Each structure stands twice: as structure tokens, then as C-alpha cells.
Amino acid sequence: MDNRLHGLRITNQRAVLYDYLTHQSLPKTPEEIFEELPTGSMDLSTVYRTLDTFFKVHVIQKSYIQNKVYYHLTTDEHKHYLVCIDCHEMSEIDVCPFHEFESKIQKDNDFLVTYHPVELYGYCKKCKSNHQESPSTP
Amino acid sequence: MDNRLHGLRITNQRAVLYDYLTHQSLPKTPEEIFEELPTGSMDLSTVYRTLDTFFKVHVIQKSYIQNKVYYHLTTDEHKHYLVCIDCHEMSEIDVCPFHEFESKIQKDNDFLVTYHPVELYGYCKKCKSNHQESPSTP
DNA sequence: TTTTACTTGCAAATGATTTGCAATAAGGAA
DNA sequence: TTCCTTATTGCAAATCATTTGCAAGTAAAA
């Protein structure tokens, strides 16, 4: 019988990691994931290897933000992110003005676009005020 | 007298690196830069330090593509890039549908956007055919 | 069950980037 | 011009994220 997940053997570590991922709404780094998993769930290298395995069978998506790798479950939603330069908090947006331009870009440049991650960097609500004006002296 | 470049001491290494950068049209990684500079111009760590220094005084811009850092001179042009997944060749495009959306995004999310790098990943002219169909047997 | 191939943990390797420190050089001051 | 102070550089070692080799452990097919 087909006792597999996307053609993969179901091991305890894979089940734990998969379950973890289904509960995240924002992309996570391998390091973050490792920290947030129950202590002793698996080795950090297993986190890396398993994420890579999931990625290869398209269970998860990979993105590069700042200089780190982020993963999140594959969904049919097309999301982009706001990333705060100060506190590094991320939030998602679903508008994507690039979609309608893609076909023109493809034609003009003879280039086959497969994906276009977009992050908007700046200051979030909390950090905006600290950045624009220094707080008044006490 | 002001014998300085953006407030920085003019050293031989800085002059060489600055000159190099003025001749590039595409973003480059520190490693690439180091390789393309005349042999013995400077140490790789100096390349890293100098790029960082230039970035801090806004002489150059920093971007993260895949998992690498890229730098290019600050200009008033707003560019985005097509990056080939196969050969990693980069080319630039100047359409940017995000501009007109920025103010709405800022308002809706209470977020101050400072920059939005965008790369479109896919297959370039050369690599497209190899990807879509395997070459016929000889 | 037993077998076999795939997975894991651990430790060591790798690649990119950063850092400490002593030697060197820029540029303002004398 | 020359000197002095301080920033900058080269070199080697450290660090950080990620990858890998290998022996031991474990799914799942027979």
C-alpha cells in the first residue's frame, strides 16, 4: 500500500517537520524551525536535509530574503511580503501588480518567467516612528 | 581642503574599486569583483570592507539575489532584473508596475517602504529550449 | 520476520563573510 | 614639507550558515 508522503518514506522527523510547517503562516528559516521544534526532535542537519527533500517534491517553496533561506508550504496563493529593516518582522500582502506584466516582459525579453518573489523593505508601524524622529528627551 | 570622496579618505584601493564599479552595468558580488580587479589590487577582505563602507555612505546599493550579496552604484534609475535559473545570467528591465502600488500598500499596511528589489526568475533565451525539450539524439 | 535501501545523528568540511591586530598610509597640522 | 594622529589595509584566524561522509538506525517491501 502507499504508505508515503509525496513518494517519500514517512519518518518521525518528517512527520514532525511537516506538521510544524502546516501551522506556519509566514516563511521560516531552517534555524528558526529548528529552534521552534520540540527540543531533541531532530538534528539541525536533518532539518536542512528534510526541507531540501520537501522542496524537491514541491511540498514547500523556497525563498531568499536578505541573506537567508526561507521555506513555506506550497499553496495556490500568490503572496509577497513586507519586511521591516529594523525589527525584521514580516507580514504578507496579496496584491501583485507584476502578474499582468509578466506576459509582456516574457515577450519583450524572450525570457520564460517561472517565479518572481517580491519583498518590500522598509519600516513597520512600530519602527516607523523611531526611524523618522528621535524620541523626545525625558 | 576637501580631499575626500563622500567624506571618506581616498585610498588607492578605494579609487580602484570605485572606478571598477563605475564601469559595471549589472550588480556584482564581492567575489566577482575581486576576481575581475587587476591581480593584487587588494585583499578580498578589503573588497568586502570597502563595499560595506561605500554602502554606508550610499555610494552603492546592496541587493540579495539567490543567496548572494550584489552591489551596484547608486543611480536615479529604478531597475529590476531577469535572472536565469540555468546559466545565472542577469539582464535588466526598467518597467516597474510596483511603483504606482506603493502608496496604496503603504497606507493599507501602515508600512513605510524604502525599497523593493524585484527579480524575475526563469529561463533565458539560450536556456529556454534546453529546458522545455531535451536536445535530439546525435 | 528478514532484507534492503533510505534516513538519521554526529562530527567534520565547506563557502561566504567578518574580525583582530600589527603594519601602513592619508591628510590635517605644524 | 615633514610630522603626527587616526583610518585603512593585509593577513590569518574566527564565525556563521549550510553541506557532507559515514556508520548506525529504521521504514516498508517481500
Side-chain angles (χ1 to χ4, degrees):
Chain A
M1 62 203 72
D2 187 14
N3 208 3
R4 287 161 176 269
L5 169 71
H6 293 264
L8 302 173
R9 272 195 190 171
I10 299 174
T11 67
N12 197 50
Q13 291 86 330
R14 284 177 182 168
V16 168
L17 188 41
Y18 185 78
D19 179 66
Y20 169 88
L21 290 166
T22 60
H23 293 284
Q24 307 308 312
S25 61
L26 293 172
K28 298 278 181 172
T29 66
E31 193 71 42
E32 280 173 342
I33 295 170
F34 179 68
E35 293 301 329
E36 292 171 16
L37 250 27
T39 313
S41 299
M42 68 194 77
D43 191 77
L44 178 57
S45 69
T46 302
V47 173
Y48 275 101
R49 275 195 272 230
T50 306
L51 289 170
D52 192 53
T53 302
F54 283 173
F55 176 67
K56 282 187 180 139
V57 296
H58 306 104
V59 167
I60 58 179
Q61 300 296 306
K62 188 178 193 172
S63 46
Y64 300 93
I65 299 179
Q66 299 283 14
N67 232 7
K68 296 194 170 169
V69 182
Y70 284 78
Y71 291 97
H72 64 96
L73 274 194
T74 301
T75 66
D76 48 2
E77 299 164 56
H78 181 76
K79 297 272 185 190
H80 293 309
Y81 301 93
L82 301 175
V83 183
C84 180
I85 298 171
D86 248 29
C87 70
H88 302 105
E89 190 179 87
M90 241 188 278
S91 51
E92 48 182 46
I93 52 176
D94 18 53
V95 269
C96 178
F98 249 104
H99 261 323
E100 47 195 287
F101 277 75
E102 249 182 40
S103 63
K104 177 170 165 47
I105 290 169
Q106 307 214 42
K107 195 167 292 175
D108 288 356
N109 298 276
D110 203 353
F111 190 95
L112 176 69
V113 177
T114 57
Y115 62 103
H116 63 264
V118 175
E119 293 89 40
L120 301 172
Y121 293 94
Y123 296 91
C124 74
K125 189 174 182 169
K126 289 196 302 265
C127 300
K128 219 167 27 165
S129 45
N130 300 332
H131 175 247
Q132 288 175 320
E133 62 215 333
S134 46
S136 53
T137 47
Chain B
M1 58 203 73
D2 188 15
N3 207 3
R4 287 160 175 270
L5 169 72
H6 293 265
L8 302 173
R9 273 193 190 174
I10 299 173
T11 66
N12 197 48
Q13 291 86 329
R14 284 177 182 169
V16 168
L17 188 41
Y18 185 78
D19 179 66
Y20 169 88
L21 291 166
T22 60
H23 293 284
Q24 307 309 310
S25 61
L26 293 173
K28 298 279 182 173
T29 66
E31 194 71 43
E32 281 173 341
I33 296 170
F34 179 69
E35 293 302 328
E36 292 172 14
L37 250 27
T39 313
S41 299
M42 69 194 77
D43 191 78
L44 178 57
S45 69
T46 302
V47 173
Y48 275 101
R49 274 196 273 231
T50 306
L51 289 170
D52 191 52
T53 303
F54 283 173
F55 176 67
K56 283 188 178 140
V57 297
H58 306 103
V59 168
I60 58 180
Q61 300 296 307
K62 189 176 191 173
S63 45
Y64 300 93
I65 299 179
Q66 300 282 13
N67 232 7
K68 294 194 172 169
V69 182
Y70 284 77
Y71 291 97
H72 63 95
L73 274 194
T74 300
T75 66
D76 47 4
E77 298 164 58
H78 181 76
K79 298 271 186 191
H80 292 310
Y81 301 93
L82 301 175
V83 182
C84 181
I85 297 170
D86 246 30
C87 69
H88 301 105
E89 190 179 271
M90 243 189 275
S91 52
E92 48 181 48
I93 52 176
D94 18 54
V95 270
C96 178
F98 249 104
H99 261 323
E100 47 195 288
F101 277 75
E102 247 180 43
S103 63
K104 176 169 166 47
I105 290 170
Q106 307 214 41
K107 195 168 294 178
D108 288 357
N109 297 276
D110 203 353
F111 190 95
L112 176 69
V113 177
T114 56
Y115 61 103
H116 63 264
V118 175
E119 293 90 40
L120 301 173
Y121 293 94
Y123 295 91
C124 73
K125 189 175 184 170
K126 288 197 301 269
C127 300
K128 219 169 24 167
S129 45
N130 299 333
H131 176 247
Q132 288 174 321
E133 62 216 331
S134 49
S136 53
T137 47

